[in-house]
Amino acid sequence: MLIAALPFYWMTRDRAGAVRWAPLCLMLLPLLVHLVSMAAHGWDLRQLARPAHLLLSVLLCIALHPLRLRTSWITGGMALGLLPALLVAVHERHVLQADRVFGPLSGADFGNFAASLSLPFIMGGLFMDGRTWSRASRLAYVAAGIAAALIAFWSGSRTAWLIMIVTACVLPLLGAVSPARRGRLWWGAALMIVPLVVAWPVFSERMQRMVQEVAAFMTADVASYQGTSMGIRLESLQIGLQLCEAHPLGGIGFLGFKEHVRGLADAGLISRDIPGFFGMLHNQFLDFCVLGGLPALIALCAFWGGMLSIASAVAVRTTDHRDKLLALCLASVLIGYFISATGGSMFSSTKGSVFLGVCLVLLFLLDTMRRPGGQAGH
């Protein structure tokens, strides 16, 4: 807790720059919710492993805040990293004949990360101004975006497909499309058709399965929906809403949740897949409400509201096209994590929580760099 108070210490030392350090307090909110919930309902230290990455992110922000980012190196590295990711996806799909590609993660995480980077690179290459970019650089970014879209479709993650739809609508509002290049919008739409056509068998099969599983749940066909992807999610939603209604102010904590769900499973009222499936409810907002009631839910909403607002503000006010591309990538990644949190958890995997922490550090450094007195770097 003393370490968690470091941002407040820095804010009191530099009152004129308090706004600059305020995001660090927001970053710690999810971790603080876990700590308060465990103090009230019982300790399960394993559940702190992934939220603790946010504390590491805060410490890195404090240590690295004078650093001048080479934004073109970072975005170039992100784009280049999509090449081996695509090779892994092609190997799994066409050599191993896998129905879905998982990469080094789960299908959902692999697809969601790729989907978050797809539209920023396609829009950056096609629609953003910037005379210092060569045609080769633009083509490379567009190719990276198409590769990311193909991975997203092959992953079979319906959340990834939703992320691409949302970012396609939001990024133009953040300045991803310069007025002089709006006539090229149809190019972007046409390019997105290519990975969709290539991955159509996966896309259509997953959509059909979703419709069947939801229909089975709505008609109470237990044998058809229990243990399925949508069945687990819908059962978890029911359980979460019931627990939030029964314990609205203080929640029941990790241990109380596991005991409650295990009892339902033993009684045959829900699928036995739920108690061990990510440990929680396939919805970060319900998770927090169950952990600590409405105060915890408000804290999570403050975290996401603050982070998304900062990412949007940085993207809008950044004028240099190289810095802007990184800002759009970070905003898109946070949008992706937010959407994923409505159907899963930002702490569902260790690699996922580390990636989130890295993106928050980059966002803080970019925000600091673009403020008056900061140092620009490309």
Side-chain angles (χ1 to χ4, degrees):
M1 294 297 288
L2 290 174
I3 297 176
L6 277 174
F8 298 96
Y9 169 71
W10 278 86
M11 288 171 64
T12 56
R13 287 188 60 197
D14 182 16
R15 294 182 187 277
V19 174
R20 178 182 301 176
W21 298 103
L24 303 188
C25 303
L26 291 175
M27 287 186 200
L28 290 173
L29 285 177
L31 175 60
L32 293 177
V33 167
H34 282 69
L35 290 172
V36 172
S37 174
M38 290 184 189
H41 301 290
W43 292 90
D44 185 355
L45 296 180
R46 292 173 299 177
Q47 302 295 336
L48 291 176
R50 293 166 183 171
H53 291 142
L54 296 176
L55 175 58
L56 179 59
S57 298
V58 168
L59 297 177
L60 286 174
C61 288
I62 294 173
L64 301 178
H65 79 276
L67 183 68
R68 184 176 64 178
L69 290 179
R70 294 289 183 179
T71 52
S72 57
W73 292 7
I74 297 172
T75 52
M78 288 180 176
L80 188 62
L82 288 169
L83 175 59
L86 178 62
L87 294 177
V88 169
V90 170
H91 176 76
E92 290 187 12
R93 180 67 181 164
H94 293 289
V95 178
L96 301 181
Q97 298 294 311
D99 294 333
R100 301 172 59 188
V101 298
F102 288 77
L105 308 165
S106 67
D109 286 342
F110 195 36
N112 294 350
F113 295 158
S116 298
L117 294 176
S118 174
L119 270 298
F121 284 135
I122 291 177
M123 290 185 175
L126 288 178
F127 308 132
M128 286 176 60
D129 283 328
R131 293 184 176 86
T132 57
W133 273 355
S134 65
R135 179 174 296 181
S137 297
R138 289 185 178 277
L139 289 175
Y141 281 130
V142 172
I146 295 174
L150 184 56
I151 293 171
F153 282 121
W154 269 342
S155 73
S157 170
R158 293 173 287 247
T159 301
W161 307 336
L162 179 60
I163 290 171
M164 287 193 287
I165 294 173
V166 173
T167 52
C169 297
V170 172
L171 293 184
L173 303 177
L174 304 182
V177 181
S178 64
R181 297 179 181 270
R182 286 175 182 166
R184 296 184 177 183
L185 283 174
W186 67 273
W187 288 18
L191 286 173
M192 289 303 296
I193 294 176
V194 175
L196 176 59
V197 170
V198 173
W200 180 256
V202 178
F203 178 83
S204 59
E205 189 273 335
R206 291 286 290 170
M207 294 303 292
Q208 291 173 7
R209 183 181 299 179
M210 180 186 72
V211 171
Q212 293 169 357
E213 292 170 0
V214 172
F217 184 84
M218 297 301 292
T219 57
D221 185 358
V222 177
S224 297
Y225 76 74
Q226 271 200 348
T228 64
S229 175
M230 291 304 300
I232 291 173
R233 283 168 168 79
L234 293 171
E235 283 188 308
S236 298
L237 177 63
Q238 280 189 333
I239 296 169
L241 292 175
Q242 292 169 0
L243 289 174
C244 290
E245 184 178 0
H247 307 276
L249 296 180
I252 59 174
F254 282 105
L255 301 181
F257 168 79
K258 290 182 178 180
E259 182 180 351
H260 176 82
V261 175
R262 191 178 296 114
L264 294 177
D266 291 341
L269 299 177
I270 61 171
S271 169
R272 288 190 174 274
D273 295 314
I274 292 178
F277 208 81
F278 293 163
M280 291 299 285
L281 292 166
H282 254 100
N283 185 300
Q284 192 85 67
F285 297 90
L286 282 179
D287 285 354
F288 272 57
C289 193
V290 170
L291 286 181
L294 289 176
L297 179 60
I298 293 171
L300 181 64
C301 291
F303 168 82
W304 278 117
M307 292 298 104
L308 291 173
S309 297
I310 293 169
S312 300
V314 172
V316 168
R317 73 167 181 259
T318 301
T319 55
D320 184 273
H321 65 278
R322 290 164 292 191
D323 293 351
K324 194 174 193 69
L325 181 57
L326 177 58
L328 291 172
C329 286
L330 296 176
S332 183
V333 167
L334 289 181
I335 291 171
Y337 268 99
F338 174 76
I339 295 173
S340 300
T342 63
S345 170
M346 60 185 179
F347 301 128
S348 61
S349 70
T350 300
K351 294 177 182 177
S353 59
V354 169
F355 187 50
L356 173 62
V358 170
C359 290
L360 292 176
V361 172
L362 290 175
L363 178 62
F364 176 81
L365 296 178
L366 185 60
D367 183 34
T368 302
M369 188 176 72
R370 303 311 301 174
R371 289 183 182 273
Q375 293 179 308
H378 310 301

